[in-house]
Amino acid sequence: MTKSSLPELLHAAVSAVGGTERPGQVAMAQATADAIDDGSHLLVQAGTGTGKSLGYLVPALAHGERVVVATATLALQRQLVERDLPRTVDALHPLLRRRPEFAMLKGRSNYLCLHRLHEGMPQDEEEGLFDQFEAAAPSSKLGQDLLRLRDWSDETETGDRDGLTPGVSDRAWAQVSVSSRECLGATRCAYGAECFAELARERAKLADVVVTNHALLAIDAIEGAPVLPPHEVLIVDEAHELVSRVTGAATGELTSGQVTRAVRRAAKLVDEKVADQLQTAAEGFERVMELALPGRLEEVPEDLGYALMALRDAARNVIVALGATRDKSLVDEDAVRKQAQASVETVHAVAERIAQGSEYDVVWYERHDRFGASLRVAPLSVSGLLREKLFVERSVILTSATLKLGGDFNGVGASLGLAPEGTAAAGDEEQPVWKGVDVGSPFDYPRQGILYVAKHLNRPARDGDRLDMLDELTELIQAAGGRTLGLFSSMRAAQNAAEELRSRLPEFPILLQGEETLGELIKNFAADPETCLFGTLSLWQGVDVPGPSCQLVVMDKIPFPRPDDPLMSARQKAVEEAGGNGFMAVAATHAALLMAQGAGRLVRASEDRGVVAVLDPRLATARYGSYLKSSLPDFWSTTDRNQVRRSLAAIDAAAKQD
């Protein structure tokens, strides 16, 4: 591809999707093309409305090499596969004189398993398989979901769960799907030739563009055995989510219930002595888990260590026994054995990992009222893993609306294992060469939005009642005429605010996250301008409501991680022990990313107007406030509460006139 052809290709693609070419999109496309051509790496910040998907798809398709595009959300995956890619390929076909192929690829558990559907699923209580369709009452929700799944299996071409509308419960889907560890394998399964997951992999091998998710990208990097086809270019969209998704994929969990299920599944398949050893180890582990352990375990307590080693050794013996014996009396014994083996292997892997006590892992104990006690282990950092597995033998382009924190890309770059921009030497594989580009936004943020910091409020105390904050929130909602998205740092804070303001402002409906599905909440919020929506983490990043229904975005306080968060506090301590500023590198960066995402909920279209109100005076008074503010869109900023109320009232009046 010559550089002179890129503008022509981009123009054709933008016209095909009915969009408008924007300077930021052109700059992004050129930067992406340059990075692909010279095999380098690029971090590109592209604000909402830039049209970044075409900004990377056009140069990627034009280059002619296989490209993997990894996204964080189902919504973007659908947009790419159902809208952007079909139209872009059609538009570029005459100019490229070839028709690039594209495909979607997800983890195996996202696809319907025909073996489970037709042969039944293993159960814990008895030998063999059981027919889940007969076992579930047809009148129950589970029974109805399963019947829908059986009918759908005759219609679907992909078996992809996301193609089932409306969806079914997780419980129902679990009965017709398998994990990669539970899968019998295409060559051993009677339905291997028809397997939806295998067909998706075959399509991906033949495609020029493979659309996948961060989780599968993480598994591909962590497990060593490739699940993605070989590719020359990797594009990571919604890249601000990548580190947390990779951390999640590398996190292990162990619970008493999980261990008990593993024992039950293996007991019918192995020698009684081997099964009893695992049962004894499971009981010892359960007794230790009933103790009041602290949150983070910087050193594994002696009694827990002994319990974990006993569990590890017993699980290993069961795994060996499962491989050496077969009981032909079991119905479809392979499926039963495979599920038991998967359960025991998970127990063995996590118990061994925690018992080893690696300095590169963080171990902690949690207790939930609903789910009981659990032991978790996560990597202290994934930066080394990403540097070694992601930025080798391919060009990587990472893009998001929020990658530039505190005025540069170095904070996000460090989390990805990259040295500060410009310091890596060419040819040094230990330090990948990269650059950051901010292509801006098509929106006029100083004219369209106001950043209001409630400087007069008291500093928020941890879990304390904030009556002054609730008073301020009440007045802001009244001035805005509803139209408020409330972003809270905890679910407890969101619930308290919703309860209080429902009694204070009965004229404004207040929706609360958790009371309905997220999709229904956002739909109802968008439909009625007087409605407010309160919630926590997923709302900071998952709401796209342009127009008059969202003209006030409120953050109750700066969203620092909780001081007792075991993983974040461990990462902060590690930075400090290495001579760095742990608070700024971990806590402030975490808060800046969330605040940038939250503030991005306000302006979603060129006609949008409104206010982002931060009800935490530290944004104006603390030394780190300038770092956080520089990570936000360039709104006009004020601490004048009267000015903000007048502005909100004027915006409300204008919206009602329209």
Side-chain angles (χ1 to χ4, degrees):
M1 181 187 72
T2 62
K3 289 187 177 181
S4 60
S5 68
L6 184 61
E8 182 183 7
L9 294 169
L10 184 61
H11 178 74
V14 172
S15 299
V17 301
T20 302
E21 203 167 287
R22 302 182 185 278
Q25 186 182 54
V26 174
M28 178 179 180
Q30 190 61 67
T32 301
D34 292 343
I36 293 173
D37 286 343
D38 62 23
S40 63
H41 310 300
L42 175 70
L43 272 65
V44 55
Q45 177 163 290
T48 304
T50 301
K52 68 179 185 302
S53 59
L54 293 188
Y56 60 70
L57 284 177
V58 170
L61 289 167
H63 190 67
E65 305 284 0
R66 179 180 283 129
V67 178
V68 167
V69 179
T71 75
T73 61
L74 294 174
L76 182 53
Q77 289 171 44
R78 286 176 180 155
Q79 177 188 313
L80 289 172
V81 173
E82 296 175 8
R83 192 191 76 174
D84 292 348
L85 275 166
R87 295 180 185 180
T88 302
V89 166
D90 287 344
L92 299 189
H93 178 212
L95 300 171
L96 296 176
R97 298 181 182 178
R98 57 183 171 83
R99 179 178 289 277
E101 299 291 331
F102 57 89
M104 173 96 75
L105 184 61
K106 301 177 182 178
R108 191 171 293 273
S109 61
N110 290 280
Y111 299 98
L112 185 75
C113 173
L114 293 171
H115 187 279
R116 278 251 171 119
L117 184 80
H118 295 300
E119 305 298 335
M121 67 177 293
Q123 60 179 340
D124 297 333
E125 291 76 13
E126 299 175 12
E127 298 175 354
L129 307 176
F130 78 99
D131 188 328
Q132 61 271 48
F133 297 94
E134 291 182 2
S139 59
S140 69
K141 177 66 166 63
L142 176 61
Q144 291 168 358
D145 280 350
L146 288 171
L147 290 174
R148 281 189 57 228
L149 283 164
R150 189 163 61 184
D151 293 341
W152 177 69
S153 70
D154 295 327
E155 305 166 3
T156 178
E157 295 182 2
T158 65
D160 185 340
R161 180 180 181 178
D162 294 323
L164 178 63
T165 306
V168 296
S169 68
D170 290 345
R171 183 184 175 199
W173 185 257
Q175 299 196 39
V176 295
S177 64
V178 295
S179 67
S180 57
R181 282 189 169 182
E182 293 172 320
C183 176
L184 296 175
T187 58
R188 295 176 61 192
C189 178
Y191 302 90
E194 310 163 65
C195 174
F196 290 119
E198 292 296 325
L199 291 173
R201 286 193 173 197
E202 290 303 313
R203 285 192 294 269
K205 290 178 183 177
L206 300 173
D208 299 279
V209 177
V210 179
V211 178
T212 187
N213 52 49
H214 290 184
L216 200 61
L217 178 64
I219 292 168
D220 189 73
I222 292 167
E223 297 193 351
V227 292
L228 295 171
H231 51 282
E232 291 72 30
V233 180
L234 170 64
I235 297 171
V236 182
D237 204 340
E238 301 171 309
H240 62 278
E241 289 269 22
L242 182 62
V243 169
S244 65
R245 298 299 173 102
V246 174
T247 300
T251 297
E253 182 178 28
L254 210 53
T255 68
S256 298
Q258 173 190 356
V259 174
T260 300
R261 282 192 299 274
V263 172
R264 203 160 50 222
R265 288 169 177 171
K268 303 287 185 181
L269 300 165
V270 297
D271 178 83
E272 185 177 350
K273 182 178 178 181
V274 176
D276 286 348
Q277 183 188 7
L278 183 59
Q279 175 68 46
T280 302
E283 291 169 356
F285 175 72
E286 185 173 6
R287 282 194 297 273
V288 174
M289 290 294 283
E290 290 173 354
L291 303 176
L293 295 168
R296 183 187 172 196
L297 308 178
E298 296 198 40
E299 291 186 7
V300 175
E302 188 176 44
D303 53 352
L304 177 60
Y306 285 135
L308 287 168
M309 286 187 285
L311 198 57
R312 174 199 63 192
D313 295 343
R316 184 194 299 121
N317 290 339
V318 170
I319 292 168
V320 171
L322 282 170
T325 62
R326 288 178 177 272
D327 183 349
K328 295 302 182 183
S329 68
L330 289 178
V331 180
D332 205 330
E333 178 240 7
D334 274 351
V336 177
R337 181 178 302 279
K338 195 69 176 178
Q339 185 182 63
Q341 185 173 336
S343 295
V344 179
E345 284 178 346
T346 299
V347 169
H348 174 266
V350 179
E352 182 174 50
R353 182 177 172 188
I354 297 175
Q356 283 177 342
S358 169
E359 62 181 307
Y360 302 109
D361 273 338
V362 179
V363 179
W364 70 96
Y365 172 91
E366 293 180 343
R367 180 174 290 280
H368 299 281
D369 292 339
R370 180 179 175 187
F371 302 109
S374 67
L375 201 58
R376 309 194 77 195
V377 56
L380 180 61
S381 171
V382 296
S383 59
L385 172 71
L386 291 172
R387 181 178 62 247
E388 294 167 13
K389 301 294 186 180
L390 225 61
F391 298 96
V392 177
E393 297 180 354
R394 57 184 170 187
S395 177
V396 182
I397 289 91
L398 301 107
T399 184
S400 167
T402 49
L403 290 180
K404 193 174 181 181
L405 303 178
D408 61 44
F409 293 90
N410 289 330
V412 170
S415 71
L416 298 167
L418 301 174
E421 186 176 5
T423 63
D428 180 2
E429 293 183 1
E430 291 295 315
Q431 297 296 342
V433 177
W434 67 281
K435 70 174 182 178
V437 175
D438 182 357
V439 300
S441 168
F443 302 139
D444 186 351
Y445 285 123
R447 187 177 63 87
Q448 291 184 248
I450 297 171
L451 173 64
Y452 166 56
V453 183
K455 188 178 178 181
H456 62 283
L457 296 180
N458 296 321
R459 285 173 62 102
R462 183 180 174 187
D463 296 333
D465 292 330
R466 298 188 63 199
L467 294 178
D468 60 338
M469 183 275 290
L470 293 173
D471 292 340
E472 184 78 11
L473 180 58
T474 301
E475 293 174 3
L476 289 170
I477 291 175
Q478 286 176 318
R483 311 176 190 275
T484 300
L485 176 65
L487 305 177
F488 292 84
S489 54
S490 70
M491 201 62 227
R492 179 173 175 269
Q495 291 166 344
N496 289 347
E499 181 180 349
E500 179 68 22
L501 269 71
R502 280 169 175 168
S503 63
R504 293 189 186 194
L505 301 172
E507 67 272 29
F508 297 118
I510 295 177
L511 307 177
L512 177 62
Q513 185 178 357
E515 293 183 346
E516 293 182 68
T517 66
L518 190 58
E520 281 297 309
L521 288 171
I522 294 173
K523 177 182 175 182
N524 294 335
F525 174 55
D528 180 10
E530 292 190 344
T531 295
C532 303
L533 173 58
F534 289 2
T536 183
L537 189 59
S538 56
L539 295 189
W540 287 73
Q541 306 181 76
V543 177
D544 184 9
V545 179
S549 290
C550 184
Q551 294 184 330
L552 172 61
V553 174
V554 176
M555 303 180 198
D556 70 325
K557 65 179 180 179
I558 297 170
F560 292 122
R562 292 177 64 93
D564 58 359
D565 182 302
L567 186 54
M568 288 294 192
S569 60
R571 288 176 171 175
Q572 189 166 323
K573 182 179 179 181
V575 172
E576 290 164 357
E577 290 176 347
N581 186 326
F583 172 77
M584 292 302 296
V586 178
T589 298
H590 172 86
L593 184 57
L594 271 180
M595 291 185 75
Q597 284 287 309
R601 303 310 98 200
L602 180 69
V603 177
R604 310 298 295 177
S606 57
E607 299 80 20
D608 287 350
R609 303 287 185 276
V611 172
V612 172
V614 181
L615 307 186
D616 186 337
R618 294 175 294 177
L619 190 62
T621 60
R623 292 173 60 186
Y624 51 77
S626 59
Y627 169 81
L628 298 175
K629 287 180 71 174
S630 66
S631 306
L632 304 179
D634 188 24
F635 296 128
W636 182 76
S637 181
T638 184
T639 58
D640 187 336
R641 58 197 297 199
N642 294 321
Q643 172 64 50
V644 166
R645 287 179 200 151
R646 288 194 297 270
S647 297
L648 282 170
I651 293 168
D652 177 42
K656 288 176 178 175
Q657 285 183 351
D658 292 341

